Amino acid sequence: MSYRTEEVAYVQPAQPAASAQAAQQKRSTAEYRALDAAHHIHPFSDMGSLNRSGSRVIVKAQGVYLWDSDDNKIIDGMAGLWCVNVGYGRKELADAAYRQMQELPFYNTFFKTTHPPVIELSALLAELAPEPFNHFFYCNSGSEGNDTVLRIVHQYWATQGKHSKKFVISRKNGYHGSTIAGGTLGGMGYMHEQMPSKVENIVHIDQPYFFGEAEGNLTPEEFALARAQQLEAKILEIGADNVAAFIGEPFQGAGGVIFPASTYWPEIQRICRKYDILLVADEVIGGFGRTGEWFAHQHFGFEPDLITLAKGLTSGYVPMGAVGLHDRVAKAIIENGDFNHGLTYSGHPVAAAVAVANLKLLRDDKIVERVKTDTGPYFQKKLRDTFANHPIIGEISGAGLVAGLQLAEDPKARKRFANGGEVGTICRDFCFKGNLIMRATGDRMLLSPPLVINKLEIDEIVAKAKYAIDATAQQLGIS
Ligand code: PXG
Protein backbone atom coordinates (compact mmCIF):
# COMPACT_ATOMS: atom_id res chain seq x y z
CA MET A 1 0.00 0.00 0.00
CA SER A 2 1.21 3.51 -0.73
CA TYR A 3 2.13 5.79 2.12
CA ARG A 4 0.55 8.87 0.61
CA THR A 5 -1.92 9.91 3.21
CA GLU A 6 -4.63 10.79 0.72
CA GLU A 7 -4.68 7.20 -0.54
CA VAL A 8 -5.07 5.30 2.72
CA ALA A 9 -8.29 4.14 4.33
CA TYR A 10 -9.31 6.87 6.70
CA VAL A 11 -12.42 6.92 8.79
CA GLN A 12 -14.72 9.31 6.99
CA PRO A 13 -15.85 12.06 9.35
CA ALA A 14 -19.26 10.41 9.44
CA GLN A 15 -22.45 12.20 10.42
CA PRO A 16 -23.00 11.05 13.99
CA ALA A 17 -26.26 9.29 14.82
CA ALA A 18 -28.88 11.65 16.22
CA SER A 19 -28.51 10.42 19.80
CA ALA A 20 -24.72 10.59 19.73
CA GLN A 21 -24.97 14.06 18.22
CA ALA A 22 -27.18 15.17 21.07
CA ALA A 23 -24.73 13.73 23.59
CA GLN A 24 -21.81 15.56 21.96
CA GLN A 25 -23.39 18.76 20.73
CA LYS A 26 -21.20 21.25 18.92
CA ARG A 27 -20.52 24.49 20.75
CA SER A 28 -18.93 27.74 19.73
CA THR A 29 -15.24 28.26 20.51
CA ALA A 30 -16.17 30.78 23.18
CA GLU A 31 -18.54 28.31 24.85
CA TYR A 32 -15.94 25.53 24.77
CA ARG A 33 -13.35 27.84 26.28
CA ALA A 34 -15.63 29.04 29.03
CA LEU A 35 -16.59 25.49 30.03
CA ASP A 36 -12.98 24.33 29.82
CA ALA A 37 -11.84 27.21 32.03
CA ALA A 38 -14.64 26.49 34.48
CA HIS A 39 -14.01 22.78 34.98
CA HIS A 40 -10.81 21.43 33.48
CA ILE A 41 -7.31 21.41 34.98
CA HIS A 42 -4.76 20.82 32.20
CA PRO A 43 -1.47 18.96 32.64
CA PHE A 44 1.73 21.00 33.09
CA SER A 45 -0.10 24.33 32.78
CA ASP A 46 -0.43 27.66 34.49
CA MET A 47 -4.21 27.45 34.66
CA GLY A 48 -4.81 31.06 35.65
CA SER A 49 -2.95 32.33 32.63
CA LEU A 50 -4.40 29.67 30.30
CA ASN A 51 -7.95 30.44 31.37
CA ARG A 52 -7.42 34.11 30.64
CA SER A 53 -6.08 33.48 27.13
CA GLY A 54 -8.24 30.42 26.30
CA SER A 55 -7.20 27.03 24.96
CA ARG A 56 -7.11 25.99 21.37
CA VAL A 57 -9.96 23.51 20.88
CA ILE A 58 -9.06 20.63 18.54
CA VAL A 59 -12.16 19.00 17.12
CA LYS A 60 -11.05 16.50 14.49
CA ALA A 61 -8.04 15.11 12.66
CA GLN A 62 -7.07 13.15 9.59
CA GLY A 63 -3.70 12.00 8.29
CA VAL A 64 -1.20 14.60 9.53
CA TYR A 65 -3.75 17.39 9.92
CA LEU A 66 -5.83 18.69 12.81
CA TRP A 67 -8.80 21.07 12.73
CA ASP A 68 -9.69 23.46 15.51
CA SER A 69 -13.13 24.72 16.50
CA ASP A 70 -12.69 27.77 14.24
CA ASP A 71 -12.09 25.41 11.31
CA ASN A 72 -8.37 26.21 11.01
CA LYS A 73 -6.44 23.36 9.37
CA ILE A 74 -3.21 22.76 11.27
CA ILE A 75 -0.32 20.50 10.27
CA ASP A 76 0.77 18.36 13.22
CA GLY A 77 4.54 18.37 13.43
CA MET A 78 4.41 16.53 16.77
CA ALA A 79 2.19 13.48 16.05
CA GLY A 80 -0.03 14.54 18.93
CA LEU A 81 2.42 14.14 21.79
CA TRP A 82 5.06 12.07 19.95
CA CYS A 83 2.59 9.22 19.61
CA VAL A 84 0.32 9.17 16.55
CA ASN A 85 2.79 7.18 14.46
CA VAL A 86 0.28 5.85 11.89
CA GLY A 87 -1.43 9.25 11.56
CA TYR A 88 -4.98 10.17 12.44
CA GLY A 89 -8.19 8.52 11.26
CA ARG A 90 -6.96 5.01 10.49
CA LYS A 91 -10.03 2.86 10.09
CA GLU A 92 -8.15 -0.35 10.89
CA LEU A 93 -7.56 0.82 14.47
CA ALA A 94 -11.10 2.10 14.98
CA ASP A 95 -12.51 -1.19 13.65
CA ALA A 96 -10.26 -3.23 15.93
CA ALA A 97 -11.50 -1.29 18.97
CA TYR A 98 -15.14 -1.56 17.90
CA ARG A 99 -14.93 -5.31 17.28
CA GLN A 100 -13.11 -5.96 20.55
CA MET A 101 -15.56 -3.85 22.58
CA GLN A 102 -18.39 -6.00 21.30
CA GLU A 103 -16.56 -9.31 21.71
CA LEU A 104 -14.90 -8.77 25.10
CA PRO A 105 -14.62 -5.15 26.29
CA PHE A 106 -12.77 -6.07 29.45
CA TYR A 107 -11.33 -8.94 31.26
CA ASN A 108 -8.35 -8.97 33.57
CA THR A 109 -5.10 -10.88 33.29
CA PHE A 110 -4.80 -11.60 37.03
CA PHE A 111 -5.84 -14.91 38.66
CA LYS A 112 -4.56 -17.42 36.09
CA THR A 113 -6.48 -15.73 33.26
CA THR A 114 -5.60 -14.41 29.82
CA HIS A 115 -7.39 -13.49 26.57
CA PRO A 116 -6.71 -13.58 22.80
CA PRO A 117 -5.81 -9.89 22.19
CA VAL A 118 -3.06 -9.83 24.83
CA ILE A 119 -1.73 -13.18 23.60
CA GLU A 120 -1.63 -11.96 19.99
CA LEU A 121 0.02 -8.69 21.01
CA SER A 122 2.74 -10.39 23.04
CA ALA A 123 3.57 -12.78 20.19
CA LEU A 124 3.64 -9.90 17.70
CA LEU A 125 5.89 -7.76 19.91
CA ALA A 126 8.25 -10.72 20.28
CA GLU A 127 8.37 -10.95 16.49
CA LEU A 128 9.01 -7.23 15.98
CA ALA A 129 11.42 -6.54 18.86
CA PRO A 130 15.09 -7.56 18.66
CA GLU A 131 15.76 -11.26 19.23
CA PRO A 132 16.28 -11.42 23.03
CA PHE A 133 13.01 -9.59 23.81
CA ASN A 134 10.34 -12.27 24.11
CA HIS A 135 8.33 -11.26 27.16
CA PHE A 136 6.17 -8.21 27.84
CA PHE A 137 4.37 -6.76 30.86
CA TYR A 138 1.52 -4.30 30.23
CA CYS A 139 0.34 -1.07 31.80
CA ASN A 140 -1.44 2.11 30.66
CA SER A 141 1.30 4.66 30.13
CA GLY A 142 5.00 5.32 29.89
CA SER A 143 5.08 6.51 33.50
CA GLU A 144 3.60 3.24 34.71
CA GLY A 145 6.04 1.47 32.44
CA ASN A 146 8.98 3.04 34.24
CA ASP A 147 7.40 2.33 37.62
CA THR A 148 7.20 -1.27 36.43
CA VAL A 149 10.86 -1.13 35.38
CA LEU A 150 11.85 -0.21 38.94
CA ARG A 151 9.82 -3.14 40.28
CA ILE A 152 11.37 -5.59 37.81
CA VAL A 153 14.90 -4.34 38.46
CA HIS A 154 14.41 -4.71 42.21
CA GLN A 155 12.92 -8.19 41.87
CA TYR A 156 15.65 -9.25 39.44
CA TRP A 157 18.45 -8.45 41.86
CA ALA A 158 16.54 -10.07 44.72
CA THR A 159 16.38 -13.29 42.68
CA GLN A 160 20.17 -13.06 42.18
CA GLY A 161 20.69 -12.73 45.93
CA LYS A 162 22.20 -9.27 45.42
CA HIS A 163 19.99 -7.36 47.81
CA SER A 164 22.28 -4.37 48.14
CA LYS A 165 21.84 -3.45 44.47
CA LYS A 166 19.25 -0.72 44.97
CA PHE A 167 20.46 2.47 43.30
CA VAL A 168 19.22 3.50 39.87
CA ILE A 169 21.22 6.04 37.91
CA SER A 170 19.45 8.36 35.52
CA ARG A 171 20.22 11.68 33.84
CA LYS A 172 19.52 15.37 34.34
CA ASN A 173 17.05 16.64 31.73
CA GLY A 174 15.88 13.10 31.04
CA TYR A 175 12.10 12.53 30.98
CA HIS A 176 10.59 9.31 32.29
CA GLY A 177 7.03 10.31 33.16
CA SER A 178 5.05 12.15 35.75
CA THR A 179 4.12 9.61 38.43
CA ILE A 180 6.26 9.88 41.55
CA ALA A 181 8.61 7.18 40.24
CA GLY A 182 8.66 8.56 36.69
CA GLY A 183 9.20 12.10 37.92
CA THR A 184 12.01 11.05 40.26
CA LEU A 185 13.73 9.07 37.52
CA GLY A 186 13.42 12.05 35.21
CA GLY A 187 15.86 14.87 35.68
CA MET A 188 13.52 17.86 35.45
CA GLY A 189 14.24 20.17 38.37
CA TYR A 190 10.90 21.97 38.09
CA MET A 191 9.12 18.63 38.59
CA HIS A 192 11.29 17.58 41.52
CA GLU A 193 10.47 20.87 43.24
CA GLN A 194 6.75 20.08 43.37
CA MET A 195 6.98 16.47 44.57
CA PRO A 196 5.73 15.66 48.05
CA SER A 197 8.44 13.01 48.29
CA LYS A 198 10.70 11.15 45.92
CA VAL A 199 11.47 7.53 45.29
CA GLU A 200 14.60 6.58 47.22
CA ASN A 201 17.96 5.63 45.75
CA ILE A 202 17.71 7.43 42.43
CA VAL A 203 20.64 9.64 41.41
CA HIS A 204 21.42 11.61 38.27
CA ILE A 205 24.43 12.24 36.07
CA ASP A 206 24.84 14.95 33.42
CA GLN A 207 23.26 14.66 29.99
CA PRO A 208 25.13 14.40 26.67
CA TYR A 209 23.96 17.85 25.46
CA PHE A 210 26.88 18.95 23.29
CA PHE A 211 25.63 22.33 22.06
CA GLY A 212 24.61 23.55 25.49
CA GLU A 213 27.16 21.99 27.81
CA ALA A 214 30.41 21.12 26.01
CA GLU A 215 33.31 23.26 27.11
CA GLY A 216 36.61 23.95 25.41
CA ASN A 217 37.54 22.30 22.17
CA LEU A 218 36.05 18.88 22.75
CA THR A 219 34.63 17.20 19.67
CA PRO A 220 31.06 15.86 19.97
CA GLU A 221 32.53 12.34 20.21
CA GLU A 222 34.97 13.27 22.98
CA PHE A 223 32.26 15.12 24.88
CA ALA A 224 29.79 12.20 24.61
CA LEU A 225 32.46 9.81 25.85
CA ALA A 226 33.23 12.06 28.81
CA ARG A 227 29.54 12.25 29.69
CA ALA A 228 29.18 8.47 29.46
CA GLN A 229 32.20 8.08 31.74
CA GLN A 230 30.34 10.04 34.43
CA LEU A 231 28.35 6.82 34.82
CA GLU A 232 31.49 4.94 35.79
CA ALA A 233 32.49 7.67 38.23
CA LYS A 234 29.02 7.59 39.82
CA ILE A 235 29.09 3.79 40.11
CA LEU A 236 32.48 3.90 41.82
CA GLU A 237 31.21 6.61 44.15
CA ILE A 238 28.14 4.58 45.19
CA GLY A 239 29.83 1.19 44.96
CA ALA A 240 29.01 -1.27 42.17
CA ASP A 241 27.44 -3.65 44.71
CA ASN A 242 24.84 -0.98 45.42
CA VAL A 243 23.92 -0.06 41.85
CA ALA A 244 21.01 -1.89 40.21
CA ALA A 245 20.43 -0.13 36.89
CA PHE A 246 21.04 2.76 34.56
CA ILE A 247 18.08 4.19 32.64
CA GLY A 248 18.12 6.57 29.70
CA GLU A 249 16.17 7.56 26.63
CA PRO A 250 18.30 6.57 23.60
CA PHE A 251 17.75 10.19 22.54
CA GLN A 252 16.14 12.62 24.96
CA GLY A 253 12.75 13.60 23.57
CA ALA A 254 11.01 16.07 25.87
CA GLY A 255 14.46 17.28 26.94
CA GLY A 256 15.01 18.72 23.46
CA VAL A 257 15.73 15.89 21.00
CA ILE A 258 19.27 15.55 22.31
CA PHE A 259 21.08 13.04 20.10
CA PRO A 260 24.32 11.84 21.68
CA ALA A 261 27.34 11.26 19.44
CA SER A 262 28.06 7.69 18.38
CA THR A 263 30.59 7.16 21.21
CA TYR A 264 27.98 7.54 23.98
CA TRP A 265 25.88 4.39 24.10
CA PRO A 266 28.63 1.83 23.44
CA GLU A 267 30.52 3.32 26.40
CA ILE A 268 27.40 3.26 28.61
CA GLN A 269 26.88 -0.38 27.67
CA ARG A 270 30.51 -1.27 28.36
CA ILE A 271 30.29 0.29 31.83
CA CYS A 272 26.99 -1.44 32.66
CA ARG A 273 28.40 -4.83 31.64
CA LYS A 274 31.66 -4.25 33.52
CA TYR A 275 29.91 -3.51 36.82
CA ASP A 276 26.98 -5.92 36.36
CA ILE A 277 24.32 -3.23 36.13
CA LEU A 278 21.05 -3.54 34.21
CA LEU A 279 20.73 -1.20 31.24
CA VAL A 280 17.24 0.19 30.61
CA ALA A 281 16.28 1.96 27.39
CA ASP A 282 13.22 4.16 27.76
CA GLU A 283 11.76 3.73 24.26
CA VAL A 284 8.50 5.57 24.95
CA ILE A 285 9.27 8.15 22.24
CA GLY A 286 11.97 6.35 20.28
CA GLY A 287 10.09 3.07 19.89
CA PHE A 288 8.02 1.97 16.90
CA GLY A 289 9.87 3.57 14.05
CA ARG A 290 10.69 7.13 15.05
CA THR A 291 14.38 6.93 14.02
CA GLY A 292 13.76 4.60 11.08
CA GLU A 293 14.54 1.53 13.20
CA TRP A 294 11.82 -0.26 15.11
CA PHE A 295 13.52 0.78 18.35
CA ALA A 296 15.87 3.70 18.93
CA HIS A 297 18.46 1.56 20.74
CA GLN A 298 18.94 -0.25 17.42
CA HIS A 299 19.74 3.11 15.81
CA PHE A 300 22.41 3.77 18.45
CA GLY A 301 23.69 0.17 18.40
CA PHE A 302 23.33 -1.11 21.94
CA GLU A 303 21.47 -3.92 23.68
CA PRO A 304 19.43 -3.01 26.74
CA ASP A 305 18.11 -5.44 29.37
CA LEU A 306 14.71 -3.77 29.63
CA ILE A 307 12.77 -1.48 27.29
CA THR A 308 9.91 0.83 28.27
CA LEU A 309 7.20 1.19 25.62
CA ALA A 310 4.06 3.35 25.24
CA LYS A 311 2.90 6.08 22.81
CA GLY A 312 3.59 4.50 19.37
CA LEU A 313 2.54 1.07 20.70
CA THR A 314 -1.07 2.06 19.98
CA SER A 315 -0.27 5.24 18.01
CA GLY A 316 -2.05 6.99 20.87
CA TYR A 317 -5.51 5.81 19.77
CA VAL A 318 -6.00 4.31 23.24
CA PRO A 319 -3.68 4.41 26.24
CA MET A 320 -1.24 1.53 26.67
CA GLY A 321 2.29 1.02 27.95
CA ALA A 322 4.52 -2.01 28.29
CA VAL A 323 7.90 -3.21 29.46
CA GLY A 324 9.92 -5.62 27.33
CA LEU A 325 12.22 -7.98 29.22
CA HIS A 326 15.44 -9.40 27.79
CA ASP A 327 15.46 -13.20 28.06
CA ARG A 328 17.96 -13.20 30.93
CA VAL A 329 15.79 -10.86 33.00
CA ALA A 330 12.55 -12.62 32.03
CA LYS A 331 13.97 -15.98 33.06
CA ALA A 332 14.79 -14.71 36.54
CA ILE A 333 11.33 -13.19 36.97
CA ILE A 334 9.54 -16.28 35.61
CA GLU A 335 11.47 -18.85 37.62
CA ASN A 336 11.40 -17.20 41.02
CA GLY A 337 7.88 -17.11 42.35
CA ASP A 338 5.39 -14.27 42.61
CA PHE A 339 5.99 -10.89 41.00
CA ASN A 340 3.77 -8.64 43.11
CA HIS A 341 2.81 -5.96 40.64
CA GLY A 342 -0.15 -5.35 38.34
CA LEU A 343 -2.84 -2.91 37.26
CA THR A 344 -6.55 -3.43 36.64
CA TYR A 345 -5.93 -2.67 32.99
CA SER A 346 -2.69 -4.63 32.50
CA GLY A 347 -3.16 -6.03 29.00
CA HIS A 348 -6.57 -4.39 28.48
CA PRO A 349 -8.24 -6.28 25.59
CA VAL A 350 -9.34 -3.18 23.66
CA ALA A 351 -5.94 -1.53 23.98
CA ALA A 352 -4.24 -4.80 23.01
CA ALA A 353 -6.50 -5.22 19.96
CA VAL A 354 -5.73 -1.65 18.85
CA ALA A 355 -2.01 -2.22 19.44
CA VAL A 356 -2.10 -5.35 17.26
CA ALA A 357 -3.89 -3.48 14.44
CA ASN A 358 -1.41 -0.60 14.79
CA LEU A 359 1.70 -2.79 14.75
CA LYS A 360 0.40 -4.73 11.73
CA LEU A 361 -0.08 -1.45 9.89
CA LEU A 362 3.44 -0.32 10.75
CA ARG A 363 4.79 -3.71 9.63
CA ASP A 364 2.64 -4.53 6.60
CA ASP A 365 2.56 -1.03 5.09
CA LYS A 366 6.33 -0.92 5.59
CA ILE A 367 6.01 2.42 7.35
CA VAL A 368 9.16 1.96 9.44
CA GLU A 369 11.26 0.97 6.41
CA ARG A 370 10.03 4.02 4.55
CA VAL A 371 11.09 6.30 7.43
CA LYS A 372 14.54 4.72 7.26
CA THR A 373 15.13 4.82 3.53
CA ASP A 374 12.90 7.55 2.14
CA THR A 375 10.95 10.06 4.22
CA GLY A 376 13.42 10.17 7.13
CA PRO A 377 16.49 11.03 5.04
CA TYR A 378 14.37 13.46 3.00
CA PHE A 379 13.17 15.24 6.17
CA GLN A 380 16.66 15.45 7.69
CA LYS A 381 18.21 16.79 4.47
CA LYS A 382 15.41 19.26 3.88
CA LEU A 383 15.88 20.71 7.39
CA ARG A 384 19.65 20.92 7.05
CA ASP A 385 19.46 22.50 3.58
CA THR A 386 16.79 24.98 4.62
CA PHE A 387 18.52 26.15 7.77
CA ALA A 388 22.16 25.99 6.66
CA ASN A 389 23.84 29.21 7.89
CA HIS A 390 20.60 30.52 9.36
CA PRO A 391 21.45 33.38 11.76
CA ILE A 392 19.67 31.85 14.77
CA ILE A 393 19.97 28.09 14.14
CA GLY A 394 22.88 26.63 16.06
CA GLU A 395 22.37 22.90 15.59
CA ILE A 396 19.99 20.43 14.00
CA SER A 397 19.79 17.06 15.71
CA GLY A 398 17.84 13.97 14.80
CA ALA A 399 17.38 10.96 12.54
CA GLY A 400 14.39 9.49 10.78
CA LEU A 401 11.34 11.59 11.56
CA VAL A 402 12.45 13.38 14.70
CA ALA A 403 14.45 16.59 14.89
CA GLY A 404 15.55 19.30 17.28
CA LEU A 405 16.47 22.78 16.08
CA GLN A 406 18.61 24.73 18.50
CA LEU A 407 17.87 28.46 18.47
CA ALA A 408 21.02 30.36 19.35
CA GLU A 409 22.19 33.93 19.70
CA ASP A 410 25.53 33.12 18.08
CA PRO A 411 25.39 29.74 16.31
CA LYS A 412 29.09 29.56 15.44
CA ALA A 413 30.24 30.33 19.00
CA ARG A 414 27.59 27.91 20.38
CA LYS A 415 26.18 30.81 22.40
CA ARG A 416 22.62 30.25 23.56
CA PHE A 417 20.10 33.01 24.21
CA ALA A 418 20.01 34.42 27.72
CA ASN A 419 16.71 33.72 29.56
CA GLY A 420 16.48 30.20 28.08
CA GLY A 421 13.00 29.52 26.80
CA GLU A 422 11.78 33.01 25.98
CA VAL A 423 12.90 32.84 22.36
CA GLY A 424 11.48 29.35 22.02
CA THR A 425 8.12 30.66 23.20
CA ILE A 426 8.21 33.50 20.66
CA CYS A 427 8.94 30.98 17.92
CA ARG A 428 6.24 28.59 19.16
CA ASP A 429 3.71 31.43 19.03
CA PHE A 430 4.64 32.15 15.40
CA CYS A 431 4.12 28.44 14.65
CA PHE A 432 0.67 28.66 16.23
CA LYS A 433 -0.17 31.63 14.01
CA GLY A 434 1.11 29.74 10.96
CA ASN A 435 -0.98 26.64 11.77
CA LEU A 436 2.01 24.42 12.49
CA ILE A 437 2.37 22.40 15.66
CA MET A 438 6.03 22.53 16.65
CA ARG A 439 7.02 22.06 20.29
CA ALA A 440 9.50 24.27 22.14
CA THR A 441 11.75 22.93 24.90
CA GLY A 442 13.64 25.94 26.15
CA ASP A 443 15.21 27.30 22.97
CA ARG A 444 15.05 24.06 21.05
CA MET A 445 12.23 23.64 18.53
CA LEU A 446 11.11 20.04 18.15
CA LEU A 447 9.52 18.12 15.32
CA SER A 448 8.22 14.55 15.42
CA PRO A 449 5.47 14.20 12.79
CA PRO A 450 3.33 11.12 12.12
CA LEU A 451 5.43 8.45 10.40
CA VAL A 452 3.01 8.30 7.44
CA ILE A 453 3.86 11.86 6.42
CA ASN A 454 4.63 12.26 2.70
CA LYS A 455 7.20 14.52 1.06
CA LEU A 456 4.76 17.29 0.18
CA GLU A 457 3.65 17.43 3.78
CA ILE A 458 7.28 17.46 4.94
CA ASP A 459 7.85 20.42 2.61
CA GLU A 460 4.87 22.17 4.19
CA ILE A 461 6.17 21.61 7.73
CA VAL A 462 9.66 22.82 6.89
CA ALA A 463 8.34 25.89 5.04
CA LYS A 464 6.12 26.80 7.99
CA ALA A 465 8.97 26.21 10.44
CA LYS A 466 11.16 28.50 8.32
CA TYR A 467 8.52 31.20 8.39
CA ALA A 468 8.26 30.98 12.19
CA ILE A 469 12.03 30.96 12.75
CA ASP A 470 12.58 33.84 10.32
CA ALA A 471 9.85 35.82 12.05
CA THR A 472 11.48 35.10 15.42
CA ALA A 473 14.86 36.34 14.16
CA GLN A 474 13.20 39.43 12.76
CA GLN A 475 11.45 40.18 16.06
CA LEU A 476 14.81 39.88 17.83
CA GLY A 477 16.36 42.25 15.30
CA ILE A 478 18.74 39.56 13.97
CA SER A 479 19.05 39.02 10.26
N1 PXG B 1 9.27 8.14 29.01
C1 PXG B 1 9.50 9.01 28.00
C2 PXG B 1 10.80 8.95 27.28
C3 PXG B 1 8.51 9.93 27.64
O1 PXG B 1 8.76 10.80 26.67
C4 PXG B 1 7.13 9.02 29.40
C5 PXG B 1 8.13 8.12 29.70
C6 PXG B 1 5.87 8.97 30.20
O2 PXG B 1 4.83 8.49 29.44
P1 PXG B 1 3.31 8.86 29.84
O3 PXG B 1 2.52 7.99 28.91
O4 PXG B 1 3.13 8.45 31.25
O5 PXG B 1 3.15 10.32 29.64
C7 PXG B 1 7.30 9.93 28.35
C8 PXG B 1 6.20 10.91 28.04
C9 PXG B 1 6.34 16.70 26.00
C10 PXG B 1 5.76 15.51 26.65
O6 PXG B 1 5.83 17.80 26.24
C11 PXG B 1 6.42 14.29 26.60
C12 PXG B 1 5.86 13.19 27.25
C13 PXG B 1 4.66 13.30 27.90
C14 PXG B 1 4.00 14.53 27.94
C15 PXG B 1 4.54 15.64 27.32
O7 PXG B 1 7.30 16.59 25.23
N2 PXG B 1 6.56 12.01 27.24
Side-chain angles (χ1 to χ4, degrees), residues 146-156 339-342:
N146 285 326
D147 207 305
T148 300
V149 160
L150 289 186
R151 311 286 288 274
I152 293 175
V153 164
H154 185 77
Q155 175 70 357
Y156 174 80
F339 176 49
N340 297 322
H341 175 54

Side-chain angles (χ1 to χ4, degrees), residues 43-44 78 81-82 140-146 174-179 182 248-255 282-286 308-311 320-321 439-441 446:
F44 284 94
M78 280 303 297
L81 214 41
W82 318 82
N140 305 288
S141 66
S143 302
E144 287 178 358
N146 285 326
Y175 190 82
H176 297 294
S178 196
T179 54
E249 304 152 80
F251 64 89
Q252 291 150 258
D282 183 336
E283 291 272 4
V284 168
I285 284 179
T308 319
L309 310 171
K311 296 194 189 271
M320 184 175 233
R439 167 140 164 38
T441 285
L446 316 183

Side-chain angles (χ1 to χ4, degrees), residues 407 409 415-426 441-444 476:
L407 304 178
E409 188 177 322
K415 181 168 183 236
R416 292 190 284 165
F417 287 106
N419 307 327
E422 266 175 31
V423 179
T425 308
I426 295 171
T441 285
D443 289 339
R444 287 174 79 86
L476 297 170

Side-chain angles (χ1 to χ4, degrees), residues 14-258:
Q15 292 306 315
S19 56
Q21 206 163 22
Q24 238 202 354
Q25 79 217 60
K26 289 237 165 83
R27 301 176 188 272
S28 70
T29 300
E31 285 173 321
Y32 278 132
R33 285 187 177 153
L35 274 177
D36 193 70
H39 302 296
H40 180 196
I41 307 285
H42 294 225
F44 284 94
S45 299
D46 172 344
M47 284 314 300
S49 150
L50 180 60
N51 288 345
R52 284 188 290 280
S53 61
S55 292
R56 184 171 232 175
V57 184
I58 300 296
V59 293
K60 65 178 182 185
Q62 199 169 66
V64 300
Y65 292 100
L66 305 162
W67 280 263
D68 71 12
S69 52
D70 294 327
D71 219 24
N72 292 304
K73 184 180 177 189
I74 303 154
I75 191 157
D76 185 2
M78 280 303 297
L81 214 41
W82 318 82
C83 54
V84 188
N85 288 13
V86 297
Y88 297 96
R90 290 307 296 248
K91 193 170 177 341
E92 297 87 337
L93 275 64
D95 286 347
Y98 182 67
R99 275 197 307 271
Q100 190 57 46
M101 279 197 185
Q102 293 178 101
E103 185 88 13
L104 179 70
F106 177 74
Y107 203 72
N108 71 71
T109 50
F110 290 47
F111 317 129
K112 301 184 178 176
T113 307
T114 189
H115 52 68
V118 80
I119 295 168
E120 296 299 340
L121 174 58
S122 305
L124 187 53
L125 279 171
E127 176 196 313
L128 296 171
E131 212 274 316
F133 287 92
N134 290 296
H135 294 85
F136 300 88
F137 182 98
Y138 298 97
C139 50
N140 305 288
S141 66
S143 302
E144 287 178 358
N146 285 326
D147 207 305
T148 300
V149 160
L150 289 186
R151 311 286 288 274
I152 293 175
V153 164
H154 185 77
Q155 175 70 357
Y156 174 80
W157 288 117
T159 68
Q160 307 302 298
K162 297 194 174 174
H163 298 279
S164 63
K165 277 191 170 288
K166 284 195 169 19
F167 276 85
V168 176
I169 302 175
S170 172
R171 299 175 304 174
K172 293 175 192 159
N173 198 37
Y175 190 82
H176 297 294
S178 196
T179 54
I180 301 290
T184 311
L185 282 171
M188 305 297 186
Y190 56 89
M191 289 175 71
H192 288 189
E193 278 163 25
Q194 288 189 355
M195 282 193 199
S197 63
K198 292 188 201 149
V199 174
E200 293 176 326
N201 302 327
I202 292 175
V203 293
H204 298 81
I205 58 173
D206 288 327
Q207 56 172 331
Y209 175 23
F210 177 76
F211 191 90
E213 299 185 358
E215 282 170 1
N217 293 325
L218 290 181
T219 64
E221 289 71 26
E222 288 164 349
F223 171 75
L225 202 61
R227 284 289 153 108
Q229 284 163 355
Q230 278 197 12
L231 175 61
E232 188 156 25
K234 186 57 86 178
I235 291 168
L236 294 173
E237 180 192 321
I238 300 170
D241 288 347
N242 300 320
V243 181
F246 172 78
I247 183 169
E249 304 152 80
F251 64 89
Q252 291 150 258
V257 184
I258 311 276

Side-chain angles (χ1 to χ4, degrees), residues 298-324:
Q298 296 170 299
H299 172 85
F300 288 99
F302 68 102
E303 188 180 278
D305 298 293
L306 292 161
I307 49 178
T308 319
L309 310 171
K311 296 194 189 271
L313 172 60
T314 54
S315 282
Y317 279 53
V318 290
M320 184 175 233
V323 176

Side-chain angles (χ1 to χ4, degrees), residues 367-382:
I367 293 169
V368 180
E369 283 93 322
R370 205 162 37 245
V371 173
K372 181 171 180 156
T373 60
D374 188 13
T375 48
Y378 181 82
F379 177 64
Q380 297 297 331
K381 180 167 187 314
K382 184 95 196 169

